[in-house]
């Protein structure tokens, strides 16, 4: 079986879910375990929001956001076993997690033209590596043909608790509402995704459950480390 969209033999495991559901931690662990590249697609939307805000543009001004995206150089690459991202040569680093970016990122990510450009960049990763990609629409839109799809969820209370432990201001309910109700590629569990509620689970348990499902669906174990 050749599950990807590119005609090569690289595989993609899609990990979708709402903010602070634990998808980043488990995507990181899973990619390390399998020797796959971990790509966090949310970083791309965050980098655009960061650049937009830095330029004094309102995140809600869709036309200005589209224009801005056409003017900047967003480079998504790989260094060693890590995915990298720069905007006009700058790595925004921890600024991508600031409360300002948290507040603006859902607005920029609901613009269809923005999604077209960033989804194309996300798909390019599969040309060069086996990947674990996390986001909101990876199983539903970016790689709908992959047989390996997971939707990682947790109650709003648990997710808010996780964020506050990180010391980050993040209005999860507001982001959930925009991410889930936008017209283009809303946050949704693909019909064929395995849904895992992590509210009462440890990271190890989530990882074990994903690996179990992968093996059941015929995933080749040869690459596992
Ligand atoms: O995963 P995250 O919380 O870092 O994502 C930040 C925002 O980016 C999220 O609120 C919605 C958007 N996003 C998206 O629309 N599609 C994706 N595949 C990933 C993120």
């Amino acid at each position: 079986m050749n599950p990807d969209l590119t005609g090569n033999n690289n595989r993609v495991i899609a990990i979708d879910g709402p903010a602070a559901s634990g998808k980043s931690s488990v995507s990181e662990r899973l990619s390390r375990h399998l020797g796959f590249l971990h790509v966090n697609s949310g970083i791309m939307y965050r980098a655009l929001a960061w650049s937009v805000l830095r330029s004094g543009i309102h995140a809600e001004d869709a036309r200005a956001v589209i224009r801005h995206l056409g003017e900047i150089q967003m480079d998504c690459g790989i260094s060693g076993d890590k995915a990298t991202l720069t905007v006009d040569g700058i790595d925004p680093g921890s600024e991508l997690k600031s409360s300002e970016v948290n507040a603006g990122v859902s607005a920029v990510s609901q613009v269809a033209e923005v999604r077209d450009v960033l989804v194309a960049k996300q798909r390019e990763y599969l040309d060069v590596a086996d990947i674990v990609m996390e986001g909101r629409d990876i199983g539903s839109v970016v790689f709908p043909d992959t047989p390996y799809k997971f939707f990682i969820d947790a109650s709003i209370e648990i997710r808010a608790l996780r964020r506050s432990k990180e010391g980050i201001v993040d209005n999860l309910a507001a982001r959930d509402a925009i991410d889930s109700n936008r017209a283009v590629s809303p946050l949704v569990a693909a019909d064929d995704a395995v849904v895992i509620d992590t509210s009462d689970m440890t990271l190890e348990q989530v990882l074990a459950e994903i690996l179990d499902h992968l093996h059941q669906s015929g995933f080749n174990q040869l690459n596992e480390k």
Side-chain angles (χ1 to χ4, degrees):
M1 178 162 40
N2 188 2
D4 63 81
L5 299 173
T6 62
N8 65 28
N9 286 316
N10 292 337
R11 291 165 293 175
V12 55
I13 300 173
I15 309 275
D16 289 304
S21 57
K23 63 186 187 309
S24 287
S25 309
V26 78
S27 298
E28 240 164 62
R29 283 296 309 275
L30 181 66
S31 57
R32 231 184 308 137
H33 182 88
L34 298 174
F36 281 25
L37 181 72
H38 172 212
V39 183
N40 180 349
S41 64
I43 292 295
M44 299 183 190
Y45 295 95
R46 285 176 178 274
L48 176 60
W50 170 81
S51 182
V52 155
L53 296 171
R54 245 171 134 229
S55 306
I57 298 166
H58 286 290
E60 289 77 16
D61 185 346
R63 286 169 63 167
V65 167
I66 295 166
R67 201 175 327 116
H68 185 74
L69 180 57
E71 288 165 359
I72 58 173
Q73 176 76 31
M74 187 187 291
D75 287 319
C76 301
I78 303 175
S79 172
D81 58 355
K82 298 242 177 309
T84 59
L85 180 151
T86 58
V87 178
D88 292 334
I90 301 170
D91 174 359
S94 60
E95 289 180 32
L96 294 182
K97 292 198 164 178
S98 71
S99 38
E100 291 78 14
V101 170
N102 283 339
V105 67
S106 287
V108 307
S109 60
Q110 62 183 336
V111 180
E113 289 84 346
V114 164
R115 304 200 70 83
D116 287 347
V117 173
L118 299 190
V119 166
K121 289 182 186 294
Q122 289 154 23
R123 289 184 176 144
E124 280 175 17
Y125 273 107
L126 196 60
D127 293 340
V128 289
D130 287 312
I131 54 179
V132 174
M133 186 174 289
E134 60 167 299
R136 300 291 186 289
D137 59 342
I138 308 307
S140 56
V141 173
V142 184
F143 295 114
D145 294 343
T146 180
Y148 312 122
K149 299 181 188 180
F150 297 88
F151 189 88
I152 306 297
D153 209 351
S155 70
I156 182 83
E157 292 80 14
I158 294 285
R159 293 190 288 122
L161 191 67
R162 288 176 183 164
R163 266 298 186 269
S164 72
K165 278 186 183 159
E166 292 169 6
I168 296 171
V169 178
D170 194 351
N171 190 338
L172 295 178
R175 274 215 287 150
D176 280 357
I178 303 178
D179 295 348
S180 304
N181 296 315
R182 66 184 178 218
V184 195
S185 309
L187 168 67
V188 64
D191 287 343
D192 50 346
V194 174
V195 179
I196 303 177
D197 186 333
T198 69
S199 301
D200 300 314
M201 292 171 82
T202 64
L203 179 55
E204 293 307 320
Q205 288 171 326
V206 181
L207 180 66
E209 185 161 338
I210 290 178
L211 288 170
D212 236 31
H213 280 286
L214 286 175
H215 295 150
Q216 279 169 29
S217 60
F219 186 82
N220 176 0
Q221 299 179 40
L222 288 177
N223 278 352
E224 285 190 45
K225 291 179 176 162

